[in-house]
């Protein structure tokens, strides 16, 4: 039974109704053991902190388009949804709420009570983003929704840690790390955001010792000089050769510093000398290692100066900078200050300036995994679209660094390492002002192997300590970097480390769709962990989707007032129009400027989303027209023997658009697929074929059954092609078609995808129809320019070069009369133009529209003069081109002949226009 269409298209009503139906009927589910070929995507799990943003919307519009496309091709298409616990971001949200509502911090609550708060927060807000995804119409298997802290997933994470540790890849070490003083944790290089800031470059004089030269160094951070351990110069810098081995006095601290020779110093910059602060700069740390320099930490984990900073101890780093500069100036040691724009690393989550610090952390040596993975990338076993990102991936793997995997927060996967309270006592250092036993019991302490802690990696507390034989253990307080658990996502979501039927059926997955910002943070780490843990690549292709920017090219950000919630678009225009607007722009470019008008993070309007909604209206109205004109429809397929020109043309165009959409989908060129469908539906089907079919549908002439058959056939296939883009609209319209047109499928979601081979293209029909369209368009343009009302009949003459041309046009008289409002329509060879008529040239045809009102002739004369001027210029340019001997000598003969023919056409058009002007003057 067919659905009944309402008179007006109402997206919101459709969307709620059909999504419920799809879920109830189980169309989103993917099963094992069906015998159908499997296809699998696991989504990048969004943070539980978040709400849908435009990056998500673009990403998931693509996800669902691909999944629906694959499902319609008969595959067992699985898309696994889920969310990420997002350690730092989520804990930051809860801590902010705790301070705002109770004026307390996490240490006031204690670890267990605080984690209860985070779980409660997650229950309240964590599923919101999945609900928002449903509003977009995503056909994911919600039964399989995973969370990176659910029980099974957590087991996979800890087992992976144990496996890597057994390989000798995981270790504790002291390295230069990125420390966020606000969040109180280490973060990775890939979680820092470089921001250009206008600061200063301070030039400071370090006095020489024992007759040695003074040295001037420049720095953007004068507060770090308090921890200087040396001054370095380049060994080939002649200015400083005699100074190497000497000493200078560290201003304000009165400490003697050696002058060392090191290639890190750049002779081309300033004096060629550079201050070395091993505890506060990654490059300086490396220099310090080479020269065995002391490491003095003068900035603490709270961004305040430590006791090692002398009289500046306890100051905030910013206040210390100001006081140091004042003291240097008073001492006459501040040579000059220059304005200086430079990149300053910030934490991408909270925006705090990062402090490079030496700290003991858990690290993972990535070199073996990189060597394992690199050949798969180089061979293209994991393909990339666009392919250039594959080269970037190979470069990154070739220069990989050890990964700091521990984080000093409480929300996350707690590291499965244990310390004997007796043997590791001095290395377990209380935090938050807590007493030792309370700190150890609550996990509020810092670990220092250098001070005596001895970690034992185990999924659960060991029974006996190998050192003392005791059994009093405390677990490492740190949690794993969120990206460590996310790196297992493709296989942990399918049941690893178990040998599940899901792993057997759906792994490796087929496609990973993501933005370029996490290609290294996440995508390559998934490849490395999968090859190690499963022995297979995690996915066959990585599709890098565009980044969505504001219409003026700025990043979308709530803090900047440019945030765009895609659900605002859904509320304004509907989910289908929103998906259309995103996929319409999902091309090969990597930055998309979305045209929405945004004020204070609220969407006011979007022209492209409105285009999507208008397109839906157009299709809805065309479908209603077709359904209202199906009396006597038999459901027969169109037969070539009984079809007229318009039928053959539309079916040929359908073959073409089907081929184009298939190719674009296979190559992930979604924008081209959407534009091809838009053009076919709006222009070919609605604007042309529906109008051309009306005479036959209304009983004029013969061929009504054929018009019905073509009308339904083309609409039904177009709906299937459009379904991955606009699922709600296409389902509603498809269900309203006669059962004979729909076949046996209960839903368009599982109807067969249109494939190559159905029907043949008809170039002759397309060429003849193109000529007819040009002629009709020319008459319509003339009528408009002449000011004729759309419904007013007018005398139209079409002069052909010969009788054969007139005969061809006579066969299409019905179409010409209908679409040009011609009455009468005169077609023939060597026709005389009516006096004072408007005219145009279409190829070899001359078209005349009679002007019955003399007052209109002045406007027509001006138009003809403009057209004549254009063609005379074309004749002039083409004549000059053909008079060029070099062109004639170098161009192939067919090209020259083509240009000569074009000149003849330009001359003919100019002559006809001139004649029209003369006739107009006679009228």
């Amino acid at each position: 039974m067919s659905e009944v269409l309402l008179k007006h298209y109402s997206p919101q009503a459709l969307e709620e109704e059909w999504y419920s139906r799809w879920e109830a009927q189980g169309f989103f589910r993917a099963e094992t053991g069906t015998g159908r070929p499997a296809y699998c995507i696991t989504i990048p799990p969004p943070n539980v902190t978040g709400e849908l943003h435009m990056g998500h919307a673009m990403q998931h519009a693509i996800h669902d388009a691909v999944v629906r496309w694959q499902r319609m091709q008969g595959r067992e298409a699985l898309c696994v949804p889920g969310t990420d616990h997002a350690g730092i971001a989520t804990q930051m949200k809860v801590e902010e709420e705790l301070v705002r509502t109770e004026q307390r911090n996490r240490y006031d609550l204690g670890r267990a009570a605080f984690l209860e708060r985070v779980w409660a927060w997650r229950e309240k807000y964590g599923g919101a983003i999945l609900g928002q995804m449903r509003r977009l119409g995503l056909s994911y298997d919600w039964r399989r929704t995973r969370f990176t802290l659910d029980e099974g997933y957590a087991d996979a994470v800890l087992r992976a840690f144990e496996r890597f540790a057994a390989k000798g890849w995981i270790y504790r070490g002291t390295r230069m790390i990125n420390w966020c003083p606000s969040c109180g944790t280490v973060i990775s290089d890939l979680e820092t955001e470089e921001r250009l800031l206008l600061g200063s470059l301070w030039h400071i004089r370090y006095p020489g010792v024992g007759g040695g030269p003074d040295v001037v160094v420049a720095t953007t951070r004068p507060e770090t000089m308090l921890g200087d351990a040396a001054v370095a110069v380049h060994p080939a810098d002649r200015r400083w050769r005699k100074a190497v081995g000497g000493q200078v006095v560290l201003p304000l601290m009165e400490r003697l510093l050696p002058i060392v020779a090191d290639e890190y110093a750049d002779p081309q910059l300033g004096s060629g000398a550079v201050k070395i602060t091993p505890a506060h700069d990654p490059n300086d740390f490396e220099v310090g290692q080479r020269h065995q320099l002391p490491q003095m930490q003068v900035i603490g984990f709270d961004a305040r100066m430590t006791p090692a900073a002398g009289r500046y101890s306890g100051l905030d780093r910013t206040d210390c900078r100001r006081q140091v500069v004042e003291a240097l100036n008073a001492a006459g040691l501040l040579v000059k200050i220059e304005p200086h724009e430079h990149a300053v690393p910030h934490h991408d989550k909270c925006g705090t300036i990062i402090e490079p610090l030496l700290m003991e952390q858990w690290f993972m040596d990535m070199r073996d995994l990189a060597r394992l993975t690199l050949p798969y990338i180089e061979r293209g076993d994991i393909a990339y679209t666009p392919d250039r990102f594959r080269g970037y991936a190979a470069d990154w793997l070739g220069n990989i660094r050890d990964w700091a995997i521990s984080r000093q927060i409480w929300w996350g996967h707690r590291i499965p390492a244990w310390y004997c309270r007796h043997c590791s006592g001095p290395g377990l250092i209380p935090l938050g002002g807590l007493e030792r036993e309370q700190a150890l019991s609550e996990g509020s302490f810092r670990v220092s192997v250098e001070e005596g802690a001895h970690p034992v990696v185990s999924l659960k507390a060991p029974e006996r300590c190998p050192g003392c034989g005791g059994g009093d253990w405390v677990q490492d307080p740190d949690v794993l970097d969120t990206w460590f658990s996310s790196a297992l996502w493709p296989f942990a979501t399918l049941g690893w480390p178990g040998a599940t039927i899901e792993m057997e059926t759906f792994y490796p997955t087929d496609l990973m769709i993501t933005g370029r910002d996490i290609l290294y943070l996440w995508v390559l780490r998934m490849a490395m962990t999968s090859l190690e843990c499963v022995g297979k690549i995690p996915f066959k292709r990585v599709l890098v989707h565009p980044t969505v920017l504001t219409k003026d090219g700025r990043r979308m950000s709530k803090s900047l007032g440019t945030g765009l919630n895609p659900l605002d678009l859904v509320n304004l225009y509907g989910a289908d129009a929103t998906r259309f607007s995103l996929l319409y722009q999902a091309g090969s470019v990597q930055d998309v400027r979305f045209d929405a008008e945004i004020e204070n993070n609220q969407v006011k309007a979007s022209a492209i989303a409105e285009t999507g909604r208008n397109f839906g209206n157009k299709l809805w109205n065309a479908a209603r027209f077709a359904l209202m004109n199906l009396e006597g429809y038999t459901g027969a397929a169109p037969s070539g023997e009984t079809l007229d020109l318009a039928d053959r043309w539309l079916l040929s165009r359908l073959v073409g658009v089907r081929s184009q959409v298939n190719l674009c989908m296979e190559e992930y060129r979604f924008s081209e697929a959407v534009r091809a469908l838009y053009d076919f539906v709006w222009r070919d089907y609605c604007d042309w074929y529906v109008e051309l079919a009306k005479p036959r549908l209304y009983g004029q002439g013969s061929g009504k059954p054929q018009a019905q058959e073509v009308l339904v056939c083309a609409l039904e296939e177009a709906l299937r092609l459009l379904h991955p883009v606009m699922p709600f609209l296409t389902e509603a319209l498809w269900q309203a078609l006669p059962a004979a047109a729909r076949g046996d499928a209960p839903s368009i979601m599982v109807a067969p995808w249109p494939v190559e081979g159905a029907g043949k293209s008809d170039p002759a029909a397309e060429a003849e129809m193109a000529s007819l369209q040009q002629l009709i368009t020319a008459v319509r343009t003339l009528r408009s320019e002449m000011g004729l009302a759309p419904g007013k009949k007018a005398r139209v003459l079409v002069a052909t070069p010969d009788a054969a041309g007139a005969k061809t046009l006579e066969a299409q008289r019905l179409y010409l009369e209908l679409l040009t409002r011609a009455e009468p329509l005169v077609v023939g060879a060597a026709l005389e133009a009516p006096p004072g008529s408007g005219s145009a040239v279409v190829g070899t045809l001359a078209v005349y529209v009679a002007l019955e009102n003399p007052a209109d002739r002045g406007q027509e004369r001006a138009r003809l003069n403009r057209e004549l001027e254009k063609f005379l210029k074309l004749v002039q340019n083409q004549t000059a081109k053909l008079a060029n001997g070099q062109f004639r000598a170098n161009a192939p003969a067919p090209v020259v002949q083509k240009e000569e023919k074009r000149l003849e056409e330009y001359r003919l058009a100019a002559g006809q226009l001139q004649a029209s002007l003369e006739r107009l003057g006679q009228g």
Side-chain angles (χ1 to χ4, degrees):
M1 180 178 175
S2 300
E3 298 281 336
V4 177
L5 289 187
L6 298 175
K7 183 175 182 180
H8 299 292
Y9 172 45
S10 175
Q12 284 76 9
L14 278 186
E15 290 161 10
E16 185 175 347
E17 174 190 357
W18 280 108
Y19 201 84
S20 299
R21 286 204 205 183
W22 289 332
E23 279 207 276
Q25 295 178 64
F27 291 134
F28 300 167
R29 299 175 182 175
E31 307 293 353
T32 58
T34 63
R36 289 189 288 271
Y39 187 91
C40 183
I41 301 176
T42 57
I43 72 167
N47 294 349
V48 292
T49 56
E51 60 183 15
L52 214 60
H53 59 62
M54 288 303 291
H56 289 130
M58 171 71 79
Q59 190 175 84
H60 290 291
I62 295 172
H63 271 91
D64 198 51
V66 172
V67 170
R68 288 179 182 271
W69 172 53
Q70 293 291 338
R71 187 183 290 120
M72 292 176 75
Q73 293 182 80
R75 295 186 173 90
E76 198 68 50
L78 169 63
C79 190
V80 179
T83 51
D84 194 296
H85 66 279
I88 294 175
T90 305
Q91 178 159 318
M92 188 171 68
K93 290 272 189 182
V94 178
E95 289 197 74
E96 288 173 352
E97 184 179 75
L98 193 61
V99 171
R100 184 177 65 253
T101 59
E102 302 178 29
Q103 293 76 51
R104 294 200 288 174
N105 61 35
R106 56 171 158 155
Y107 295 107
D108 294 329
L109 261 66
R111 188 166 189 143
F114 178 76
L115 288 177
E116 287 179 7
R117 295 289 186 97
V118 185
W119 276 106
W121 192 94
R122 183 256 174 181
E123 291 302 316
K124 184 175 182 180
Y125 299 108
I129 196 167
L130 299 180
Q132 292 172 324
M133 287 181 182
R134 292 169 182 262
R135 290 284 310 279
L136 277 175
L138 308 183
S139 59
Y140 300 165
D141 192 341
W142 300 107
R143 301 171 306 162
R144 301 180 184 273
T145 301
R146 299 300 302 270
F147 176 50
T148 53
L149 274 177
D150 66 33
E151 186 176 352
Y153 200 100
D155 179 63
V157 172
L158 299 183
R159 288 184 182 277
F161 183 95
E162 186 180 48
R163 180 189 187 103
F164 300 155
K167 293 264 188 174
W169 295 337
I170 290 179
Y171 64 94
R172 280 193 72 87
T174 300
R175 296 285 188 278
M176 184 65 63
I177 51 88
N178 300 305
W179 182 261
C180 175
S182 177
C183 296
T185 185
V186 64
I187 64 169
S188 74
D189 291 342
L190 298 173
E191 292 170 301
T192 63
E193 177 182 80
E194 299 282 351
R195 298 183 188 174
L196 278 178
L197 299 181
L198 182 59
S200 298
L201 192 62
W202 287 271
H203 296 258
I204 306 165
R205 181 166 57 85
Y206 287 24
V209 174
D214 293 353
V215 178
V216 175
V217 298
T219 180
T220 58
R221 302 192 65 199
E223 68 277 11
T224 64
M225 66 173 288
L226 304 176
D228 283 0
V231 168
V233 295
H234 196 279
D237 192 338
R238 294 182 178 181
R239 293 171 294 176
W240 299 108
R241 280 184 180 175
K242 292 182 180 179
V244 174
Q247 293 179 313
V248 293
V249 176
L250 176 61
L252 309 184
M253 301 297 284
E254 304 305 318
R255 193 164 64 237
L256 297 182
L257 305 181
I259 301 174
V260 299
D262 195 280
E263 291 185 352
Y264 169 62
D266 187 347
Q268 305 302 316
L269 293 179
S271 68
V274 60
K275 61 189 284 298
I276 302 299
T277 318
H280 294 285
D281 182 273
N283 294 313
D284 291 6
F285 173 77
E286 298 295 334
V287 175
Q289 293 289 96
R290 289 193 289 270
H291 297 276
Q292 294 83 49
L293 299 175
Q295 299 164 350
M296 286 159 285
Q297 184 172 333
V298 294
I299 301 175
F301 297 108
D302 57 358
R304 292 186 174 276
M305 308 310 289
T306 70
R311 66 178 183 269
Y312 301 100
S313 176
L315 289 176
D316 176 84
R317 56 184 172 175
T318 305
D319 293 334
C320 179
R321 176 181 299 182
R322 179 177 49 79
Q323 291 194 24
V324 164
V325 170
E326 289 174 356
L328 289 170
N329 191 45
L333 297 174
L334 187 60
V335 178
K336 63 178 177 178
I337 305 174
E338 294 178 315
H340 182 66
E341 187 179 53
H342 60 127
V344 178
H346 291 66
H347 188 185
D348 64 1
K349 298 292 188 300
C350 68
T352 302
I353 293 177
I354 293 303
E355 192 62 56
L357 294 176
L358 281 174
M359 189 177 184
E360 194 177 299
Q361 294 286 328
W362 287 97
F363 289 89
M364 185 166 171
D365 185 336
M366 304 298 291
R367 290 172 297 178
D368 286 349
L369 284 173
R371 280 191 288 267
L372 172 66
T373 307
L374 184 58
Y376 290 86
I377 300 296
E378 291 177 331
R379 288 195 304 264
D381 295 346
I382 299 176
Y384 279 74
T385 301
D387 183 64
R388 64 179 178 276
F389 288 105
R390 185 168 62 89
Y392 302 158
D395 289 344
W396 188 77
L397 288 170
N399 296 281
I400 202 161
R401 298 169 61 181
D402 287 6
W403 177 12
I405 58 173
S406 51
R407 297 292 181 267
Q408 287 66 54
I409 57 175
W410 291 348
W411 174 245
H413 300 274
R414 196 165 175 180
I415 289 175
W418 302 82
Y419 304 88
C420 171
R421 287 185 187 231
H422 175 71
C423 298
S424 297
L428 308 178
I429 304 161
L431 296 175
L434 301 178
E435 294 295 327
R436 176 180 175 78
E437 287 307 311
Q438 183 183 359
L440 295 183
S441 297
E442 293 189 356
S444 299
F445 61 95
R446 179 171 63 85
V447 173
S448 173
V449 170
E450 292 180 357
E451 297 182 49
H454 304 288
V456 177
V457 173
S458 176
L459 297 184
K460 59 182 180 179
E463 292 184 5
R464 296 178 62 83
C465 172
C468 69
D472 193 0
W473 297 91
V474 61
Q475 189 174 358
D476 194 288
D478 290 351
V479 301
L480 287 165
D481 177 12
T482 295
W483 295 106
F484 186 97
S485 53
S486 299
L488 313 181
W489 182 255
F491 51 96
T493 53
L494 295 176
W496 185 90
T500 64
I501 188 65
E502 284 79 10
M503 283 290 289
E504 182 182 335
T505 304
F506 295 109
Y507 205 79
T509 66
D510 292 270
L511 186 65
M512 172 51 61
I513 305 169
T514 187
R516 64 180 184 269
D517 55 329
I518 55 174
L519 288 176
Y520 311 130
L521 268 173
W522 188 47
V523 172
L524 282 174
R525 287 171 177 169
M526 286 189 286
M528 289 187 278
T529 58
S530 178
L531 288 167
E532 166 59 26
C533 296
V534 186
K536 297 178 180 179
I537 58 174
F539 27 73
K540 299 164 189 172
R541 181 174 296 275
V542 177
L543 174 61
V544 185
H545 65 72
T547 298
V548 185
L549 306 175
T550 63
K551 66 177 183 178
D552 54 357
R554 292 185 293 166
R555 70 184 180 89
M556 289 191 171
S557 164
K558 282 197 169 184
S559 62
L560 297 175
T562 57
L564 194 164
N565 185 339
L567 291 191
D568 290 346
L569 291 174
V570 173
N571 292 331
L572 282 171
Y573 302 107
D576 281 334
T578 300
R579 291 168 62 120
F580 174 94
S581 68
L582 292 162
L583 292 168
Y584 190 86
Q585 300 176 91
S588 58
V589 298
Q590 279 298 302
D591 286 323
V592 168
R593 296 189 177 194
F594 202 85
D595 73 343
E597 297 287 342
I598 306 171
E599 291 181 15
N600 298 321
N601 297 316
Q602 289 292 314
V603 180
K604 300 300 182 184
S606 164
I608 192 162
E610 190 168 342
T611 297
R613 184 182 62 188
N614 293 343
F615 177 59
N617 274 324
K618 183 92 167 178
L619 180 55
W620 184 272
N621 291 333
R624 285 191 74 250
F625 170 81
L627 292 169
M628 290 188 297
N629 287 279
L630 293 185
E631 184 179 353
Y633 172 72
T634 64
S639 170
E641 297 177 0
T642 58
L643 302 178
D644 78 352
L645 173 63
D647 301 332
R648 290 185 290 112
W649 164 75
L650 187 70
L651 293 175
S652 182
R653 284 287 301 119
L654 182 61
V655 170
V657 78
R658 177 200 307 142
S659 178
Q660 187 176 359
V661 170
N662 271 297
L663 178 62
C664 290
M665 292 296 286
E666 287 165 6
E667 296 181 352
Y668 307 104
R669 292 185 282 120
F670 303 103
S671 61
E672 294 178 43
V674 173
R675 290 165 197 247
L677 286 166
Y678 179 89
D679 288 345
F680 175 77
V681 170
W682 190 291
R683 183 189 63 200
D684 297 341
Y685 189 83
C686 297
D687 284 355
W688 285 102
Y689 187 77
V690 166
E691 296 303 316
L692 292 168
K694 282 179 179 178
R696 288 181 290 163
L697 293 172
Y698 295 161
Q700 295 176 248
S702 61
K704 178 178 179 179
Q706 289 80 7
Q708 291 175 327
E709 290 162 9
V710 173
L711 202 64
V712 172
C713 171
L715 176 60
E716 192 276 336
E717 182 164 332
L719 291 173
R720 282 185 285 140
L721 288 169
L722 187 60
H723 177 71
V725 181
M726 305 179 82
F728 296 108
L729 172 67
T730 52
E731 180 75 276
L733 295 180
W734 189 82
Q735 293 287 355
L737 293 175
R742 289 184 277 118
D744 298 330
S747 165
I748 194 172
M749 281 186 64
V750 290
W753 177 257
V755 294
E756 302 292 335
K760 296 180 180 179
S761 61
D762 190 336
E766 291 199 43
E768 187 175 351
M769 188 66 190
S771 298
L772 184 63
Q773 288 173 319
Q774 290 173 10
L775 179 57
I776 292 169
T777 300
V779 174
R780 286 173 166 175
T781 302
L782 274 175
R783 290 176 57 96
S784 174
E785 292 176 346
M786 293 162 63
L788 293 174
K792 184 178 180 180
K793 300 286 187 178
R795 188 157 52 104
V796 177
L797 293 84
V798 183
T800 64
D802 51 37
K807 184 178 180 182
T808 299
L809 285 180
E810 279 292 345
Q812 311 305 330
R813 169 176 286 277
L814 188 62
Y815 294 150
L816 285 168
E817 288 178 339
L818 172 72
L819 298 183
T820 64
R821 308 292 294 171
E823 190 178 284
L825 171 68
V826 181
V827 178
L831 290 177
E832 292 291 331
S837 60
S839 65
V841 177
V842 182
T844 58
L845 305 176
V847 183
Y848 308 104
V849 176
L851 281 171
E852 307 298 342
N853 183 357
D856 295 331
R857 292 173 186 169
Q859 294 181 12
E860 176 62 4
R861 186 176 293 107
R863 187 191 70 81
L864 287 172
N865 274 315
R866 290 195 300 273
E867 284 290 296
L868 177 59
E869 184 180 353
K870 179 181 79 174
F871 274 97
L872 288 175
K873 191 169 184 179
L874 288 170
V875 168
Q876 180 182 356
N877 292 341
Q878 195 72 1
T879 301
K881 183 176 184 178
L882 289 168
N884 187 323
Q886 189 174 3
F887 167 75
R888 285 187 173 275
N890 296 331
V895 172
V896 175
Q897 292 168 4
K898 184 178 179 180
E899 296 300 324
E900 288 174 339
K901 183 179 180 182
R902 185 172 293 170
L903 176 60
E904 291 175 12
E905 291 173 353
Y906 291 161
R907 284 173 171 162
L908 176 62
Q912 289 172 331
L913 289 165
Q914 184 64 54
S916 295
L917 274 168
E918 292 171 0
R919 283 191 297 273
L920 192 62
Q922 298 167 4

